[in-house]
Amino acid sequence: MRRDIPPLDEVRRITQKKRDAWWTVMLVDPVATPLVRWTAMRTRITPNQITWGAFLLGLVSAAFFALGDWQWLVAGAVVYHFSFILDCMDGKVARLTGTGSVFGAWLDFVFDRIRVMACAVALMGGQFQRTGDAFYIWAAVAVVALDTLRYINGLEIFKIRHTMRKQIKVRMRAARRAENEAELAFMEDLLRDNPEADIEQDMQKTRSEMGVPETPDAPETTPATKRQIIDLHQEFRGKFPAYLRARSFLLRHRIRTHLVSGIEFQMGVFMIGPLFDVVLPATIVSGALLLVFELAIIYKLLLSTRDFTRTIDSFEERKALATTTATTTATTTASATV
């Protein structure tokens, strides 16, 4: 038995994400985190072995779904949830023990997609055999397509946001070469650590516009507040002010604002539908909600690109102004020398 595994509270801090799906936070982490600590302390199981276990349980769930009758649907739903718990455990064990790998991340991603595909075909195929309704065949295609769309869209949005951040940092260095990169911060990063940051900023801005002085006992400015903050979601928050408080509330409970993501979609199709024998309605509702939230993310990205363009333009204007000022100063100095 390993003696270097910390207490449960510390394991939670190390292994749980700062933001996660509400299904994971409420229904998976309370079970998975104690199991992660027990696994790390008392076994030599590796994260990749846990990934294989989650995948094999997913195939067992698919086999139950294929049988079609309600009692097998219930069994399939229960097994699928256990499969998902294991799927969450592999990354936690990797973080806790420092045994993660690039190949393990690839294996986890690929197995997740295969598991969803197998369960979708088995579930809808079983219901087609049970009812003879050909619409279940199209439902299987839709589930696989929506799951693929969600993860492709997520990866592309992450890549675009990374590219925008990188370009801003490059322009910042070009415009202010004397500054240290640590003086640059992104609003979305600050909000993860302090969910109230956006509200506090808006309140300070409102006080300033109204001419209300700051409170005399306000704390002195810390080095963190001296950093230039780049907010690539300013226009989105401006259009949807209620989003600020909703986001802050959810972040305080580790829940991300993307309330229906791939996880909730899978649970709606492979757990709620089979448990209550409403496979087709649950699939339609889950798919519609997933599309709504994906479109919201795309719209948010569109507004973010506008903020990005304005930020880049401001750097170019500042750089041009600095060049003009330097040229004028040099000319004045030369004239005075003559």
Side-chain angles (χ1 to χ4, degrees), residues 225-244:
T225 60
K226 293 180 180 178
R227 293 179 297 175
Q228 179 169 355
I229 298 175
I230 306 299
D231 187 1
L232 294 181
H233 300 299
Q234 182 176 358
E235 185 172 348
F236 181 84
R237 279 192 282 268
K239 289 179 178 291
F240 304 98
Y243 171 81
L244 295 172

Side-chain angles (χ1 to χ4, degrees), residues 25-67:
V25 172
M26 298 174 65
L27 300 175
V28 176
D29 279 350
V31 177
T33 306
L35 285 176
V36 165
R37 184 173 184 270
W38 184 90
T39 301
M41 287 181 62
R42 299 183 178 276
T43 73
R44 295 182 178 274
I45 297 176
T46 66
N48 286 354
Q49 289 171 340
I50 296 175
T51 302
W52 273 100
F55 176 65
L56 293 176
L57 272 184
L59 296 184
V60 172
S61 176
F64 287 155
F65 286 149
L67 297 176

Side-chain angles (χ1 to χ4, degrees), residues 9 25 30 32 35 68 81 102 174 183-184 244 248 251 257 270 274 309 323:
D9 287 343
V25 172
L35 285 176
H81 189 59
V102 176
E183 295 176 349
L184 175 67
L244 295 172
S248 296
L251 281 178
T257 51
F270 300 128
T309 301
T323 302

Side-chain angles (χ1 to χ4, degrees), residues 140-167:
V141 175
V143 170
V144 174
L146 287 171
D147 180 74
T148 304
L149 170 66
R150 161 63 194 142
Y151 283 92
I152 290 177
N153 189 41
L155 290 172
E156 285 301 311
I157 287 178
F158 174 82
K159 186 164 64 176
I160 290 173
R161 287 176 175 171
H162 176 75
T163 300
M164 290 193 297
R165 283 172 169 240
K166 186 175 180 180
Q167 290 188 30

